[in-house]
Amino acid sequence: MLYALMGLGLSLITGVLNIPNFAHGALFAVGAYFLFSAIHAVGNFWLALVLAPVGVALLGLAIEYAGIRPLYAAGHDYQLLFTFGLSLILSEGIIVVWGPIGFSQLPPPLLRGGFDLGFIFYPKYRLFVMVMAGLLVLATWLFLEKTRYGAIMRAGIESKEMVSLLGIDVHRLFTAAFALGAYLAGIAGALTAPIRGLSPSMGVDMLGIAFVVVALGGLGNLLGAIAAGLIIGVAQAVVALYWTEASVAVIFAIMAAILLVRPQGLFGIR
Amino acid sequence: MSRAWLAVLAAAVLLPMAVRHALATEIWIFAIFGLGLNLLLGYTGLLSFGQSTFFGAAAYVAGYLLKHYETNVFAALGVGIVVGAVSAALVGYLCVRRSGLYFIMLTFALNQMFYFIAYQWTTVTGGEDGMPGIGRPALLGVDFRNPLAYYVFVAALFLLSLWIMQRIVESPLGKILQAIRENDVRAEAVGYDVPRFKLLAFVIGGAFSGLAGVLYSMLFGIVPLEAIGFVFSGNVLFATLIGGSGSFYGPIIGSFVFIWLSESVSVVWERWPLLLGVAFVIVVLFFRGGCVEAWARFWSWRERRRALAGIAQ
């Protein structure tokens, strides 16, 4: 479900802005670290969980406005280099601010412990994350599907020229899409923190997976990204049961195998 | 022989006098790597963000042979070139059918796949610690453990690579690749099998990356995990772009600037990738077009000023 969240955000950004966002993983990591600091600042997990992703979204807003906007006309090569440089800055910045050693973050007291299901012991917090991520995906989907702004965003994926001809400020649309994508990455990171702990390299690991999800789901295909995120998550969990070391490499192998048969991705049309 | 070639030759001779031999060697190795990328980026218009796949794979395989069997240097180089080309063929086969963002994402994702294989396959690659203990066997009585001897060897191989690459880009094949860059739909319409030519460019680029990878492993005596990581792919891309991907000699200039830059910022601060990231952003926002274009712009500005001065008189 977290993969779906990451993939959805990235798919939105790549689809609407048509740029390769290599800072997406770093935004994910920043979300986790923001949560960590926010908990220490406000002393409340729930408030921190609200604040941290908003912080990431604001960061995304600033990045888009200052950095990506001047690059719309430039080629993918420079956009790539920019987001890649940004990802270096953010992940090294994390080390500078929070130190190179990772942290562990406990879930809030309410969600500690787990349910004994008889055959398996399932941690409460994981269940919470699953539900939470599911709700977020649903909310994002409803937003995109049912609201006016969502419709504009989807139209932006289809045809930017047409949208701007209809008198909509495309630049503002781009900024909004980037901020929303950053928000989703940030909250995914924040939710992950109590499960896997925090480490400066957490973003890079996630970045590859997010790209796989987008590639499989089809570029700019939001529903596809959700489905691909679920498939990848389940596949990884299953592989991890039998061959733990290979579970990450297998994701990419699955992607390669699928693309061999369907080069446009599972749900891609283009 | 053209002026550019003379300049390159002069640089090859003068460089070891100016900087440490190891650094000078690294510059030429990186330049070979960049030449391979530039065939894709500058001549075919393919933005590959996974060049370290071929570099790293070749470095690991050839490094393994050198470490455990003390293979002949030429055999190791040959194996590395083949590994680079074959891995590029595999990756390329999956990628060339897509274009634009998709293509970039795929090269990156497959790069990550190779990275995680190297990361987890610790018995062979050493995982995060890297694969140390790679020797530099002597060749024809020349002891390559001498840094200067190894420098000369690498510089000679670089010049050879440069010559071969020039032949490639000036050949009919090179022209076809440039036609694909300019307009792949039209190239297809004229009757060229575009995906096959793109794949061919990939394979050639991979072979150059492989050569660079082997030389790199022999230079440092170790294959670090980073050699196959995506940051490395980003670095060579940056080097090629700051050199100017539109120009044949761009990657050489880029390699100079990049290695020099990373060397000098790495002594300033432990967190030097941050400064490197800042450099990326600055270059992208303000110096697009790279050194070659910046130089050309400076030159035309000077010429204009001279002309204006002439009119004023």
Side-chain angles (χ1 to χ4, degrees):
Chain A
M1 218 59 222
L2 282 170
Y3 292 170
L5 217 51
M6 280 299 280
L8 189 60
L10 185 59
S11 194
L12 198 65
I13 292 177
T14 44
V16 176
L17 281 82
N18 195 24
I19 60 157
N21 182 19
F22 279 89
H24 207 65
L27 291 172
F28 169 82
V30 168
Y33 276 90
F34 272 7
L35 177 85
F36 180 78
S37 288
I39 288 176
H40 283 262
V42 298
N44 180 322
F45 177 86
W46 302 103
L47 189 58
L49 191 60
V50 174
L51 289 177
V54 173
V56 179
L58 289 177
L59 185 66
L61 209 72
I63 289 169
E64 202 282 339
Y65 192 78
I68 295 174
R69 192 165 281 200
L71 292 179
Y72 288 145
H76 283 325
D77 39 5
Y78 288 105
Q79 296 165 347
L80 187 162
L81 214 57
F82 177 79
T83 56
F84 172 60
L86 206 64
S87 134
L88 283 182
I89 294 174
L90 289 177
S91 48
E92 290 295 319
I94 284 176
I95 297 178
V96 171
V97 176
W98 286 280
I101 307 157
F103 299 106
S104 60
Q105 172 64 50
L106 280 176
L110 185 68
L111 296 172
R112 282 177 206 164
F115 298 111
D116 196 353
L117 300 176
F119 61 101
I120 195 172
F121 185 78
Y122 205 82
K124 277 184 197 168
Y125 184 75
R126 276 178 185 267
L127 192 70
F128 164 73
V129 168
M130 228 152 71
V131 173
M132 201 48 201
L135 286 175
L136 277 164
V137 167
L138 189 69
T140 314
W141 187 73
L142 284 175
F143 166 74
L144 291 169
E145 206 64 31
K146 301 286 175 203
T147 67
R148 197 184 130 73
Y149 294 104
I152 294 175
M153 265 186 204
R154 279 182 297 125
I157 296 176
E158 292 295 325
S159 167
K160 276 150 220 62
E161 290 85 0
M162 198 62 217
V163 171
S164 66
L165 278 176
L166 290 172
I168 290 158
D169 186 348
V170 192
H171 284 170
R172 258 172 57 197
L173 169 69
F174 285 2
T175 313
F178 196 89
L180 182 59
Y183 177 84
L184 291 174
I187 198 155
L191 285 170
T192 309
I195 298 180
R196 298 202 199 145
L198 302 99
S199 72
S201 70
M202 66 192 291
V204 178
D205 300 344
M206 201 59 174
L207 178 66
I209 295 170
F211 272 96
V212 169
V213 170
V214 174
L216 277 187
L219 209 64
N221 184 340
L222 304 171
L223 218 51
I226 298 171
L230 291 176
I231 292 172
I232 291 292
V234 171
Q236 190 187 17
V238 171
V239 173
L241 278 180
Y242 298 101
W243 192 15
T244 319
E245 296 82 33
S247 65
V248 185
V250 161
I251 293 178
F252 298 104
I254 293 173
M255 180 198 73
I258 291 178
L259 290 174
L260 212 56
V261 190
R262 273 185 72 85
Q264 68 272 48
L266 277 178
F267 310 96
I269 326 135
R270 277 187 278 181
Chain B
M1 198 179 279
S2 71
R3 260 168 54 189
W5 267 89
L6 280 177
V8 172
L9 267 179
V13 174
L14 293 174
L15 195 59
M17 300 171 194
V19 296
R20 283 185 299 113
H21 294 327
L23 191 67
T25 315
E26 201 184 341
I27 288 177
W28 294 123
I29 292 175
F30 216 73
I32 297 176
F33 194 20
L35 279 179
L37 173 66
N38 199 28
L39 181 69
L40 291 174
L41 182 64
Y43 285 92
T44 322
L46 292 173
L47 177 53
S48 165
F49 196 35
Q51 289 303 103
S52 78
T53 311
F54 325 130
F55 184 91
Y60 273 120
V61 174
Y64 191 81
L65 292 175
L66 283 168
K67 182 181 174 183
H68 294 279
Y69 305 102
E70 300 205 346
T71 336
N72 175 290
V73 174
F74 278 125
L77 290 176
V79 168
I81 292 172
V82 170
V83 169
V86 170
S87 55
L90 289 174
V91 171
Y93 182 75
L94 277 173
C95 299
V96 292
R97 288 180 286 174
R98 307 313 311 262
S99 57
L101 280 182
Y102 239 118
F103 180 86
I104 303 169
M105 281 165 38
L106 287 183
T107 52
F108 167 73
L110 292 167
N111 194 172
Q112 286 292 89
M113 178 169 90
F114 279 89
Y115 172 82
F116 277 107
I117 291 173
Y119 178 67
Q120 295 288 3
W121 200 1
T122 44
T123 45
V124 173
T125 62
E128 233 171 331
D129 299 331
M131 188 164 81
I134 296 160
R136 283 185 219 156
L139 185 75
L140 305 170
V142 181
D143 187 2
F144 281 141
R145 277 172 299 183
N146 175 349
L148 187 61
Y150 190 61
Y151 171 80
V152 172
F153 180 62
V154 170
L157 279 176
F158 165 74
L159 291 172
L160 183 66
S161 309
L162 189 67
W163 181 72
I164 293 174
M165 190 52 94
Q166 192 164 37
R167 294 299 299 257
I168 291 174
V169 301
E170 283 170 4
S171 72
L173 170 67
K175 298 296 173 209
I176 295 170
L177 295 180
Q178 288 168 54
I180 292 173
R181 176 193 65 194
E182 291 303 323
N183 191 335
D184 58 345
V185 179
R186 199 171 285 179
E188 184 103 54
V190 173
Y192 292 116
D193 187 351
V194 169
R196 242 182 70 200
F197 280 107
K198 283 183 176 174
L199 186 60
L200 195 58
F202 238 92
V203 171
I204 297 170
F208 277 84
S209 310
L211 173 65
V214 182
L215 292 173
Y216 184 85
S217 74
M218 283 167 68
L219 172 64
F220 292 107
I222 180 173
V223 185
L225 185 60
E226 289 81 45
I228 202 165
F230 83 104
V231 174
F232 217 73
S233 298
N235 289 349
V236 70
L237 191 63
F238 176 64
T240 308
L241 283 174
I242 46 172
S245 63
S247 110
F248 179 71
Y249 298 95
I252 306 170
I253 300 164
S255 172
F256 266 89
V257 176
F258 176 77
I259 299 287
W260 169 79
L261 193 74
S262 52
E263 174 81 6
S264 43
V265 294
S266 65
V267 289
V268 177
W269 195 21
E270 195 193 355
R271 299 263 64 87
W272 62 276
L274 188 122
L275 300 179
L276 209 58
V278 173
F280 283 19
V281 168
I282 291 174
V283 166
V284 169
L285 289 181
F286 304 110
F287 297 104
R288 252 169 284 156
C291 299
V292 171
E293 199 189 296
W295 180 248
R297 241 191 291 170
F298 170 73
W299 205 247
S300 72
W301 172 77
R302 235 186 66 165
E303 292 284 299
R304 244 198 336 257
R305 252 188 42 164
R306 272 210 194 140
L308 280 178
I311 293 165
Q313 279 177 4

